[in-house]
Amino acid sequence: MRRLRKILLASIPVVLLLLLLTPFATNVSADGAAPKTPGVTNSELKKGPVFIIPVDQKIERGLQSFLERGFEEAANYGAVLILLEVDTPGGLVKSAEEIGTMVRESEIPTAAYIKGDAASAGSYIALNAGAIIMKPGSMIGSASLVDMNGQKVDDAKMISYWRSKMIGAAALNDRDPDIAAGMVDSNLVVDKPELGVTKTQGEIIALSSEEALKAGYADQITDTPEEAIQWLGYTTDDIFRVEHTGAEKMSQFLTNPIIMTILLFIGITGVVIELIVPGFGAPGIIGTLAFVLYFFGNYVAGFAGAETWLLFIIGLVMLVLELFVPSFGILGLLGSVSLVAGVVRAAYSYKHALLSLGISFVAATIVVVIVAVIFKERGIWNRFILKESLTKDQGFVPVEEKLSLLGTTGTSITPLRPSGTAMIGGERVDVVTEGSFISANAPVSVIKVEGGRIVVKEIKE
């Protein structure tokens, strides 16, 4: 008994130490601090750089360029995981397809953490990732096609195509294909009570985080991306968050449709005013700056290439030359075509670019006409209008009409071929014939006086 008592007393410190260490050794659930992959201990978590790349804007070419840069940086740093932090209303199908391909074919493991909405094309991007983790209150789905005005697209071919793309993305991780189809096509009926999804005709499937988890469209629910990273089996010791650069943030603002239209209006108005009413300076500078901002925003966003700048510069030069080089309007026409081509090619949508250009042109025309009327005395057209009056008050003396010589006679001093000099009434006078040749020292008579022009003919004996 005494020996047993000693053993028990000696084991008390060990038991207390184990009790103290127990909270740090157990896994934490989703509503706790940081859940881990079931059965994975701290020592088994994969170590290395983890890149978090936000997908937090409308899906278009600008976001695609940003993600391409993020994936490239992740590869250069030797990242072991790329976590896409998704909160987007959707966007262009073409850009979503290219982003989805980039995510799906990435050599670095990818996962999507939906912290807000993965709507429309955003759900397609998330489905292409290796895993989907959602934040409580987030959403995935509602991927029906809409046009630029937000109106529902009823084109059967386009809907069928997009539905097949969504089903293919869902199949990558064995997710139910009918649910993916129901996110796109409102005409489908989906009845999956075992997955908690029931859709009647006319509805579009959109799943909350809890619904997505039950339906197999989410693999876990966590409060933070760091918890998602640990649940996936990676440490959070070396996390890099890819941020938008200042130029990219500025590009997002400049490529807003309303801002683009305003920039085009200011650009057209400023440049045209400077061309037709020269001397101000400010309109030309402001207009050129507006065009530079327009092309800069679209260039950084990935919409415009170097050729758009070239088209703009060539067009501007041709319009300037048209004012000084007579080309019967050819230079002006070519310059206008070049400018329009540059503006349209720089935008992410030809249709939207033409609409913005049309609105800007009409508004600019009204302003330019008003300015031209107000400053008509300074207009460039004044350079091509003769305004000087050749009056005696300004020192101009008209040629005296020598009507008194009409009918008089004289002698040619020089040969008249047909012009020359003759002595008439004792005065040397510049004369012309009606076309005939008269030799020197021949008798002539004045038959016509027209201002300073005196016409003579030879007197035949």
Side-chain angles (χ1 to χ4, degrees):
M1 290 295 294
R2 186 179 298 174
R3 186 178 179 183
L4 181 60
R5 190 183 297 121
K6 288 181 178 180
I7 292 173
L8 291 173
L9 290 172
S11 64
I12 289 175
V14 177
V15 173
L16 291 174
L17 181 61
L18 288 173
L19 290 172
L20 290 172
L21 292 176
T22 297
F24 300 96
T26 57
N27 288 341
V28 182
S29 62
D31 55 354
K36 306 181 183 72
T37 305
V40 177
T41 63
N42 280 330
S43 61
E44 294 175 326
L45 291 175
K46 297 177 184 178
K47 295 183 179 180
V50 175
F51 270 63
I52 298 177
I53 307 178
V55 183
D56 56 357
Q57 65 185 80
K58 187 176 180 180
I59 298 171
E60 31 76 17
R61 188 66 183 87
L63 175 64
Q64 184 179 341
S65 298
F66 170 68
L67 291 178
E68 287 172 354
R69 177 172 68 84
F71 272 68
E72 184 178 351
E73 289 183 8
N76 293 337
Y77 273 81
V80 296
L81 175 68
I82 293 176
L83 186 72
L84 300 175
E85 196 175 57
V86 182
D87 184 12
T88 175
L92 301 179
V93 170
K94 182 179 179 181
S95 294
E97 287 184 84
E98 294 180 2
I99 293 171
T101 301
M102 179 174 60
V103 172
R104 183 172 63 251
E105 297 179 354
S106 172
E107 296 181 358
I108 304 170
T110 59
Y113 177 72
I114 303 176
K115 72 171 187 177
D117 294 336
S120 191
S123 59
Y124 175 76
I125 294 174
L127 288 172
N128 277 277
I132 298 177
I133 300 95
M134 298 181 70
K135 184 177 181 178
S138 59
M139 181 277 288
I140 183 172
S142 188
S144 58
L145 291 174
V146 295
D147 59 20
M148 298 296 293
N149 299 318
Q151 300 297 318
K152 183 181 176 182
V153 174
D154 294 323
D155 190 318
K157 287 186 177 180
M158 292 183 64
I159 293 174
S160 177
Y161 171 79
W162 184 232
R163 183 176 63 233
S164 66
K165 298 297 289 187
M166 286 287 289
I167 291 174
L172 294 174
N173 291 290
D174 298 324
R175 308 189 195 278
D176 189 282
D178 293 336
I179 295 177
M183 290 180 175
V184 177
D185 195 344
S186 61
N187 294 321
L188 294 179
V189 175
V190 180
D191 188 16
K192 301 281 182 175
E194 70 280 7
L195 300 177
V197 178
T198 301
K199 176 185 114 51
T200 59
Q201 191 172 11
E203 294 180 340
I204 290 291
I205 294 178
L207 303 175
S208 66
S209 55
E210 291 77 12
E211 291 170 338
L213 185 62
K214 183 177 180 180
Y217 271 68
D219 302 302
Q220 181 63 301
I221 299 176
T222 65
D223 289 321
T224 64
E226 289 76 17
E227 292 177 7
I229 292 169
Q230 285 196 331
W231 183 86
L232 289 165
Y234 297 87
T235 66
T236 56
D237 299 332
D238 200 9
I239 293 179
F240 291 86
R241 179 177 288 273
V242 180
E243 301 289 352
H244 293 277
T245 63
E248 288 170 339
K249 291 179 180 178
M250 186 176 181
S251 174
Q252 292 179 28
F253 172 75
L254 293 176
T255 52
N256 180 283
I258 297 176
I259 301 300
M260 287 173 61
T261 304
I262 293 174
L263 288 175
L264 288 175
F265 162 70
I266 295 174
I268 295 171
T269 305
V271 171
V272 173
I273 288 177
E274 189 62 39
L275 289 176
I276 67 172
V277 189
F280 287 108
I285 295 173
I286 294 173
T288 303
L289 180 60
F291 274 123
V292 169
L293 289 175
Y294 174 86
F295 285 102
F296 170 78
N298 287 281
Y299 180 78
V300 173
F303 305 144
E307 76 281 358
T308 59
W309 291 93
L310 183 61
L311 286 170
F312 168 69
I313 294 172
I314 291 175
L316 199 60
V317 170
M318 285 185 174
L319 287 178
V320 173
L321 288 176
E322 176 63 27
L323 297 174
F324 304 99
V325 178
S327 67
F328 304 101
I330 296 176
L331 285 176
L333 179 62
L334 293 176
S336 300
V337 171
S338 181
L339 273 178
V340 172
V343 168
V344 172
R345 283 187 59 83
Y348 69 89
S349 167
Y350 290 170
K351 181 180 178 181
H352 179 267
L354 289 173
L355 178 62
S356 296
L357 192 60
I359 295 173
S360 304
F361 182 79
V362 172
T365 301
I366 295 173
V367 174
V368 169
V369 169
I370 294 173
V371 172
V373 171
I374 295 175
F375 298 97
K376 58 184 178 181
E377 299 299 328
R378 300 179 59 175
I380 193 171
W381 48 83
N382 290 317
R383 298 181 181 180
F384 308 104
I385 300 175
L386 181 61
K387 289 189 172 184
E388 295 293 336
S389 299
L390 305 181
T391 63
K392 292 181 179 180
D393 296 337
Q394 294 178 326
F396 294 100
V397 179
V399 177
E400 181 181 356
E401 233 181 357
K402 297 182 179 182
L403 295 175
S404 60
L405 297 179
L406 186 62
T408 60
T409 60
T411 306
S412 60
I413 299 175
T414 63
L416 306 182
R417 303 174 179 166
S419 63
T421 306
M423 180 67 71
I424 300 175
E427 181 183 358
R428 292 174 63 94
V429 181
D430 293 327
V431 298
V432 295
T433 70
E434 290 182 307
S436 60
F437 171 77
I438 301 177
S439 60
N441 299 316
V444 295
S445 65
V446 178
I447 60 173
K448 189 184 298 183
V449 176
E450 297 175 339
R453 183 171 177 266
I454 300 173
V455 182
V456 299
K457 72 173 181 178
E458 185 176 5
I459 299 174
K460 302 291 185 178
E461 293 181 1

